[in-house]
């Protein structure tokens, strides 16, 4: 099985691109192997359809250059954090054995985001327990626990625990987001307006990353939270 350095989870296709697309693009450019797993197909979205979002997700993955993208086909809006869903995520974690997992915001406007954050974080812990037995394609899997689980920031302006400089990668991030052309602002569409399909939201994709960049003295940045302290080797590793 392919081992990934980073595995990014999103409750819906486009969550990862919106929350940490610049960070992913930067890590890939630096030689890291990254994958994306969408929990649902976003089938309850007001605009577009599951099939359209499948195509858009594939296009966005190509823009970012991720090694793999999978969809767990959980029920949009109705998945829960129970044994069945945890085991589905555990199998993926053990399949790709990432060192770092990125996942949804711990609290957000859409109920799936907080649920997805807790589901993935819990599965990351459980994945390291040897007495939980799983199989993939008929083969027994070995226990694996990622070293770190970080949550990206979405609709709500959560105070980040750390920020990543994505200067030089913000445009690729925006290109990957706009691959979901059924979901975002288009003055010519006849689709209903949604909170993320407004001109204001489109503009916010740039000004939020600019504002986070301002905080650390760079052009653009993305913010993350962590349930536990983030370790560094020395003070010189901090900007």
């Amino acid at each position: 099985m392919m081992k990934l350095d980073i595995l990014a989870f999103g409750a819906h296709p486009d969550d990862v691109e919106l929350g940490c697309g610049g960070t992913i693009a930067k890590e890939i450019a630096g030689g890291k192997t990254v994958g994306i797993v969408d929990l649902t197909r976003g089938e309850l979205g007001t605009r577009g359809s599951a099939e359209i979002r499948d195509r858009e997700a594939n296009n966005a993955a190509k823009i970012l250059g991720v090694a793999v993208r999978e969809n767990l086909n959980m029920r949009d809006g109705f998945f829960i954090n129970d044994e069945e869903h945890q085991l589905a995520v555990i199998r993926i974690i053990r399949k790709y054995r990432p060192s770092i997992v990125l996942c949804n915001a711990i609290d957000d406007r859409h109920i799936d985001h907080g649920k997805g954050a807790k589901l993935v974080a819990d599965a990351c812990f459980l994945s390291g327990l040897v007495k939980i037995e799983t199989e993939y394609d008929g083969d027994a899997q070995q226990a694996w626990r990622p070293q770190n689980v970080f949550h990206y920031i979405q609709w709500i302006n959560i105070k980040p625990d750390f920020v990543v400089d994505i200067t030089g990668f913000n445009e690729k991030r925006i290109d990957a987001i706009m691959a979901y052309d059924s979901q975002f602002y288009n003055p010519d569409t006849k689709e209903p307006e949604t909170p993320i399909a407004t001109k204001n939201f489109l503009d916010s994709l740039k000004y939020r990353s600019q504002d986070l960049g301002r905080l650390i003295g760079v052009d653009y940045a993305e913010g993350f939270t962590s349930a536990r302290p983030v370790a560094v080797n020395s003070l010189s590793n901090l900007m």
Side-chain angles (χ1 to χ4, degrees):
M1 294 294 180
M2 178 189 302
K3 185 184 184 309
L4 299 176
D5 297 303
I6 301 169
L7 185 56
F9 287 86
H12 313 104
D14 76 22
D15 283 355
V16 169
E17 289 83 356
L18 286 165
C20 59
T23 300
I24 286 176
K26 182 175 184 176
E27 293 292 342
I28 292 171
K32 299 298 185 182
T33 306
V34 183
I36 297 175
V37 174
D38 303 306
L39 301 183
T40 79
R41 297 173 71 199
E43 63 270 19
L44 293 184
T46 301
R47 295 157 66 107
S49 65
E51 292 74 21
I52 289 172
R53 297 185 78 171
D54 288 345
R55 293 195 296 272
E56 292 170 340
N58 288 333
N59 290 336
K62 291 176 183 177
I63 292 169
L64 290 176
V66 298
V68 292
R69 185 168 203 152
E70 295 197 29
N71 195 299
L72 295 184
N73 287 302
M74 295 179 183
R75 291 183 64 201
D76 189 10
F78 294 100
F79 71 84
I80 59 176
N81 186 9
D82 66 356
E83 180 178 356
E84 177 185 353
H85 291 81
Q86 289 166 357
L87 285 171
V89 178
I90 288 169
R91 290 186 187 98
I92 286 291
I93 293 168
R94 290 177 172 180
K95 176 182 178 181
Y96 291 117
R97 296 170 293 151
S99 298
I100 296 172
V101 162
L102 306 177
C103 56
N104 286 99
I106 55 174
D107 180 37
D108 212 42
R109 181 185 68 86
H110 196 301
I111 62 170
D112 280 356
H113 296 169
K115 286 194 300 179
K118 188 69 166 63
L119 169 60
V120 172
D122 287 353
C124 284
F125 176 81
L126 293 171
S127 181
L129 301 180
V130 296
K131 289 186 177 180
I132 295 178
E133 298 178 358
T134 58
E135 293 184 355
Y136 189 86
D137 284 344
D139 295 325
Q141 293 182 300
Q142 298 299 309
W144 180 268
R145 182 175 294 144
Q147 295 174 7
N148 290 292
V149 179
F150 301 133
H151 300 270
Y152 46 83
I153 296 171
Q154 298 184 259
W155 184 273
I156 295 176
N157 287 324
I158 297 173
K159 182 181 179 180
D161 292 321
F162 66 93
V163 294
V164 176
D165 177 7
I166 61 165
T167 303
F169 297 93
N170 195 56
E171 288 304 316
K172 180 167 283 192
R173 165 183 171 256
I174 298 296
D175 287 346
I177 292 169
M178 296 312 296
Y180 297 90
D181 54 10
S182 70
Q183 301 301 303
F184 301 110
Y185 177 71
N186 179 351
D188 299 321
T189 188
K190 295 181 181 178
E191 292 268 21
E193 186 175 279
T194 68
I196 64 170
T198 64
K199 179 66 162 55
N200 183 288
F201 183 80
L202 181 62
D203 292 340
S204 79
L205 300 180
K206 183 175 182 180
Y207 65 65
R208 172 185 270 177
S209 59
Q210 284 181 313
D211 191 51
L212 288 170
R214 173 186 63 82
L215 296 176
I216 60 169
V218 302
D219 291 337
Y220 300 101
E222 289 175 329
F224 298 85
T225 64
S226 176
R228 63 181 188 177
V230 178
V232 295
N233 289 325
S234 70
L235 292 178
S236 62
N237 291 133
L238 299 171
M239 293 182 63

